[in-house]
Amino acid sequence: MTENRGHSGGRARARSAAVRYQTVCSPVQNDPNGTCTYGLECLTDRQGAWVQWDLIEDVSPSRESVLSLAARCNALGLSPLHFRDVVLDSINT
């Protein structure tokens, strides 16, 4: 997993900014078949451009489950402050 790329000042601004969640595909190392694992990316709207706020790679080998999680986060307008907790909770269920 990668660490949060935001800083404490960015966190306060992200609460009022538009947020979008989307899946990301990471190739499995040393796999000749090109298999991917899927993660989730949190993007915030900064002056009309989508900027990565946070990224969690390797959430699941199932594209459908990560797409479903992204759709739920988008539909509920999940705050980036709760992003990691929600992803970790989804893995543990």
Side-chain angles (χ1 to χ4, degrees):
M1 286 192 268
T2 59
E3 291 301 315
N4 186 332
R5 297 170 194 250
H7 52 74
S8 60
R11 288 177 190 260
R13 283 187 300 245
R15 284 183 220 163
S16 61
V19 178
R20 179 172 81 186
Y21 298 91
Q22 65 185 25
T23 59
V24 294
C25 174
S26 300
V28 175
Q29 292 182 355
N30 301 321
D31 183 354
N33 298 321
T35 305
C36 286
T37 61
Y38 297 91
L40 197 57
E41 180 178 41
C42 173
L43 303 167
T44 59
D45 183 1
R46 300 292 168 102
Q47 300 174 344
W50 290 105
V51 176
Q52 185 182 75
W53 174 263
D54 200 356
L55 169 68
I56 301 176
E57 297 178 304
D58 199 17
V59 172
S60 174
S62 168
R63 180 176 181 260
E64 291 75 23
S65 68
V66 179
L67 281 171
S68 175
L69 179 58
R72 286 190 311 246
C73 292
N74 286 322
L76 296 171
L78 179 70
S79 166
L81 299 176
H82 303 292
F83 172 62
R84 287 190 168 260
D85 290 332
V86 167
V87 173
L88 289 174
D89 286 348
S90 75
I91 292 170
N92 292 326
T93 33

